[in-house]
């Protein structure tokens, strides 16, 4: 039994849905279901009744839920004491993120932070990689959620995001769960501008020179172009929507990761609010990253 399983279980109880719970904490429905099933298996008791329209607590589940809440309250107090973070009643945190790059991560991270510090105002800015870097440099924002590259400022790593290949659903390789770059190298490739540096490095390392007639920033536009058969693309797994009609998504082989983390201008002038947010973000991703990347198959279906 892990704290991760208990936290996921409480989120399912609160939302009365595996799907809604997953949306709030950045996990697929199947990953949430697996976490709850593992908890029930270890306790050897049924905690939830599954219905077509949602879930409800069993009699035993109702009794255990209050105990789980007490346990997680104690855990939170332990974390606060260990980190030296005092209770923060008010304040403001300004967060910048590359548009769409962490759609399945940032909402849960902010929600987790707001649950602990409800009096703190959170402002979110979205922009390009260069815009986020500039906002950090000019102190327009306090912290940026960004992909790791050459860092001018201080970087706090959080997790690794897998890169995935997206092709039209009628593509000859749509039966494969893994695709090599050389298999699509001669076909039109839609290059996501925010992944430009990473992908060009990968192309060079693998000795591939793809045809790149399009360079596009907006992820929704990129996916729409793939849906219409204009070309193929590669995107971070956390950036893609939960529902992707008319396309097939496969893992890139060999696997390529994008390191995500928080970047700040300097730790010399960190406020208590910023310190608390970074700590909470690290705790949030530490608890979820293993399940997230081992079990996130809401879009990618393994095929033999």
């Amino acid at each position: 039994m892990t704290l991760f399983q208990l936290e996921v279980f409480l989120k399912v109880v609160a939302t009365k849905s595996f799907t809604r719970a997953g949306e709030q904490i950045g996990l697929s429905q199947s990953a949430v279901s697996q976490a709850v099933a593992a908890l029930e298996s270890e306790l050897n008791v049924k905690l939830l009744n599954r219905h077509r329209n949602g879930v409800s607590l069993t009699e035993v589940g109702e009794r255990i839920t209050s105990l789980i809440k007490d346990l997680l309250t104690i855990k939170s107090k332990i974390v606060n004491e260990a980190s030296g973070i005092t209770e923060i009643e008010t304040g403001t945190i300004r967060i910048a993120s590359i548009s769409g790059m962490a759609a399945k991560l940032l909402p849960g991270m902010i929600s987790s932070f707001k649950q602990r510090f409800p009096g703190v105002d959170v402002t979110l800015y979205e922009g390009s990689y260069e815009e986020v870097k500039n906002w950090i440099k000019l102190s327009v924002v306090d912290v940026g959620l960004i992909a790791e590259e050459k860092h001018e400022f201080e970087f706090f790593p959080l997790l690794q995001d897998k890169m995935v290949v997206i092709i039209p659903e009628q593509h000859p390789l749509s039966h494969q769960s893994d695709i090599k770059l050389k298999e699509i190298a001669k076909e039109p490739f839609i290059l996501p501008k925010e992944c430009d540096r990473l992908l060009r490095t990968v192309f060079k390392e693998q000795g591939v020179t793809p045809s790149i007639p399009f360079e596009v920033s907006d992820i929704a536009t990129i996916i729409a172009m793939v849906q219409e058969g204009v070309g193929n693309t590669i995107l971070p797994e956390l950036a893609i929507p939960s529902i992707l009609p008319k396309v097939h998504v496969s893992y890139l082989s060999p696997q390529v990761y994008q390191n995500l983390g928080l970047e700040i201008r300097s730790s010399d002038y960190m406020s208590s609010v910023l310190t608390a947010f970074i700590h909470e973000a690290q705790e949030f991703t530490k608890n979820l990253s293993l399940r997230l990347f081992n079990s996130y198959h809401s879009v990618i279906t393994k095929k033999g």
Side-chain angles (χ1 to χ4, degrees):
M1 180 172 59
T2 67
L3 290 174
F4 167 80
Q5 293 170 342
L6 300 179
E7 290 169 341
V8 171
F9 171 74
L10 287 186
K11 184 60 68 174
V12 173
V13 172
T15 60
K16 297 182 180 179
S17 165
F18 288 100
T19 301
R20 286 195 294 273
E23 290 172 350
Q24 291 188 18
I25 59 179
L27 289 174
S28 68
Q29 184 274 337
S30 62
V32 172
S33 180
Q34 288 173 26
V36 174
L39 178 62
E40 291 179 319
S41 176
E42 187 162 348
L43 294 175
N44 195 29
V45 67
K46 185 178 180 181
L47 301 175
L48 294 172
N49 293 311
R50 279 77 166 171
H51 312 293
R52 178 175 297 179
N53 297 324
V55 298
S56 62
L57 285 167
T58 63
E59 185 176 343
V60 175
E62 289 181 358
R63 296 199 303 268
I64 288 179
T65 296
S66 61
L67 297 176
I68 292 176
K69 289 180 179 178
D70 291 342
L71 177 60
L72 292 181
T73 297
I74 294 173
K75 176 255 186 180
S76 180
K77 291 180 179 179
I78 292 173
V79 170
N80 286 344
E81 288 296 325
S83 64
I85 297 174
T86 56
E87 289 299 320
I88 299 172
E89 295 184 359
T90 61
T92 301
I93 182 78
R94 298 166 300 173
I95 308 166
S97 173
I98 298 175
S99 300
M101 293 295 281
K104 291 183 173 64
L105 175 63
L106 198 56
M109 189 185 297
I110 293 175
S111 175
S112 177
F113 177 75
K114 288 289 290 182
Q115 286 176 20
R116 284 190 58 195
F117 306 105
V120 176
D121 293 326
V122 177
T123 304
L124 178 62
Y125 297 72
E126 282 195 327
S128 67
Y129 177 86
E130 295 303 329
E131 286 175 325
V132 172
K133 296 285 289 187
N134 196 44
W135 290 336
I136 297 171
K137 182 178 182 178
L138 298 177
S139 297
V140 173
V141 299
D142 303 298
V143 61
L145 178 62
I146 201 165
E148 182 179 18
E149 292 186 0
K150 292 182 179 178
H151 295 294
E152 180 181 353
F153 309 117
E154 295 191 44
F155 184 77
F156 298 82
L158 295 177
L159 49 76
Q160 292 183 315
D161 192 1
K162 290 179 182 176
M163 304 299 290
V164 296
V165 182
I166 305 179
I167 57 179
E169 63 180 350
Q170 300 302 323
H171 193 282
L173 300 179
S174 61
H175 65 285
Q176 297 183 190
S177 59
D178 298 273
I179 293 177
K180 296 180 174 61
L181 274 179
K182 64 180 182 181
E183 294 179 298
I184 57 172
K186 295 182 180 181
E187 301 172 10
F189 186 81
I190 305 165
L191 181 68
K193 285 188 177 180
E194 302 307 337
C195 301
D196 180 279
R197 297 175 182 85
L198 173 63
L199 292 178
R200 290 189 185 276
T201 298
V202 173
F203 296 153
K204 183 177 180 180
E205 289 176 347
Q206 297 191 22
V208 173
T209 306
S211 169
I212 306 178
F214 308 103
E215 296 185 30
V216 185
S217 296
D218 184 68
I219 290 176
T221 301
I222 294 171
I223 293 174
M225 292 174 73
V226 177
Q227 290 172 329
E228 295 302 322
V230 175
N232 309 314
T233 194
I234 297 175
L235 289 171
E237 190 173 22
L238 283 175
I240 62 177
S242 298
I243 299 176
L244 278 178
K246 298 175 62 179
V247 300
H248 174 78
V249 185
S250 298
Y251 287 114
L252 184 61
S253 178
Q255 189 58 254
V256 174
Y257 297 89
Q258 173 178 257
N259 294 320
L260 294 181
L262 299 175
E263 193 167 73
I264 64 173
R265 185 174 181 183
S266 173
S267 61
D268 294 337
Y269 306 101
M270 285 178 62
S271 67
S272 58
V273 174
L274 179 55
T275 300
F277 178 77
I278 292 175
H279 175 79
E280 187 64 25
Q282 291 173 326
E283 287 297 310
F284 177 82
T285 52
K286 186 194 321 180
N287 290 337
L288 296 184
S289 60
L290 180 61
R291 292 281 183 168
L292 179 63
F293 290 107
N294 285 344
S295 304
Y296 179 67
H297 298 298
S298 60
V299 176
I300 301 174
T301 302
K302 290 286 186 179
K303 298 182 180 179

